[in-house]
Amino acid sequence: AWDYLYIYLFYQLNYSSIPEKYQAPFLRLAELQQATVLQNLQEQTGIQHSNLEQSFPFSAGDRKKIFGFLRQRSSNALVARCVRWCQHKRDTLRDMRQRKGFMLTFSGVDGAGKSTILNEVKEMLQRKYRKKVVVIRHRPSMLPILSAMKYGKEAAEQRCAERLPRQGTNKSILSSLARFGYYYADYLFGQLVVYFRYTLRGYIVLYDRYYFDFIVDGRRSNITISKSFIRNLYVFVYKPQLNIFLYAPPEVILTRKKELSAGDIRQLTHDYTTLFSRLGEPAKYMCIENIDKGRTMELIEQAILQLN
């Protein structure tokens, strides 16, 4: 009787008829047992049927009667319902904290193998650990690329993809402040959206570059303002739990990409490693020499496991 009551309520409350595979076992019951099932159904829901077959199809009228009958019970008085509602919200928030995801950023000069490692980490998290993963490029992008105002979203994204890094010619302080302010607003407010949309829902968010690029290599974003000014504003930016800087000797990088000079590679690597050594808790900052991909992946996997 109680098994049928559970099945009946599950499907009625979800706007569905009881499937035939669940009907058959109860139709094979003896007449007296079927009567017991129907009597229990009436006592617990207020719904009365002369035979089991009448209770199988979904009925909007019966669903409404069930709610009306249940609300009349003393255990479902207004105060009791409010208490249970609060308990449900408390349990929901507790569950969200337990299955909350995290953010992981990858930084590195062009040719350090950043994109390759990021894709490997994504595959590892999805296949080995069955995690939901989302990849974000550089910033939350709640605000569009600035050039989209002139060229349109698709054309602007295509131009950014085709343009070599550090080719901007902007030397104006005012223009740089306006550009940086626009991107900074995206980090401040966009990260809130990313946090609630993905992190709280258990996603692992992988950033292909992050705010550190503005500090170390503002020229890449056509920004020419004080590095210390940008670094100090990092205090208000969301801190991903794990941040990885990948580097390699200039001669190795130049065999992969020839977009930067050996001198630029050395300087950027020095600036990134210095920055990461200064940044500290509560986030974790790692500098990994990416020569052996297997070793790099091993170190990253160990760091990820330590977050949980």
Side-chain angles (χ1 to χ4, degrees), residues 159-225:
R159 286 171 62 88
C160 285
E162 294 175 350
R163 188 175 59 196
L164 291 174
R166 312 181 93 226
Q167 298 299 305
T169 58
N170 177 38
K171 297 184 181 299
S172 167
I173 298 297
L174 289 178
S175 175
S176 294
L177 284 171
R179 180 181 293 272
F180 172 71
Y182 182 84
Y183 294 143
Y184 189 69
D186 191 31
Y187 271 98
L188 288 182
F189 302 109
Q191 276 294 66
L192 291 175
V193 176
V194 171
Y195 181 77
F196 286 103
R197 179 181 293 175
Y198 297 118
T199 310
L200 278 183
R201 294 169 59 195
Y203 280 81
I204 309 301
V205 180
L206 304 182
Y207 265 94
D208 184 354
R209 299 189 175 279
Y210 197 62
Y211 184 86
F212 315 117
D213 271 19
F214 292 130
I215 302 174
V216 174
D217 193 15
R219 182 179 168 190
R220 184 184 183 89
S221 299
N222 211 11
I223 293 173
T224 54
I225 53 179

Side-chain angles (χ1 to χ4, degrees), residues 108-114 165-166 209 220 253 257 259-260 265:
V109 302
D110 294 284
K114 173 177 54 60
R166 312 181 93 226
R209 299 189 175 279
R220 184 184 183 89
I253 289 178
K257 287 187 178 181
E259 296 173 355
L260 298 172
I265 294 170

Side-chain angles (χ1 to χ4, degrees), residues 78-102:
L78 179 61
V79 173
R81 295 205 306 272
C82 288
V83 170
R84 287 198 296 272
W85 183 87
C86 292
Q87 290 173 338
H88 170 69
K89 295 304 178 185
R90 179 201 63 194
D91 292 341
T92 299
L93 289 173
R94 181 185 299 163
D95 180 61
M96 289 176 70
R97 287 197 300 269
Q98 290 175 347
R99 63 184 178 89
K100 186 174 68 172
F102 61 87

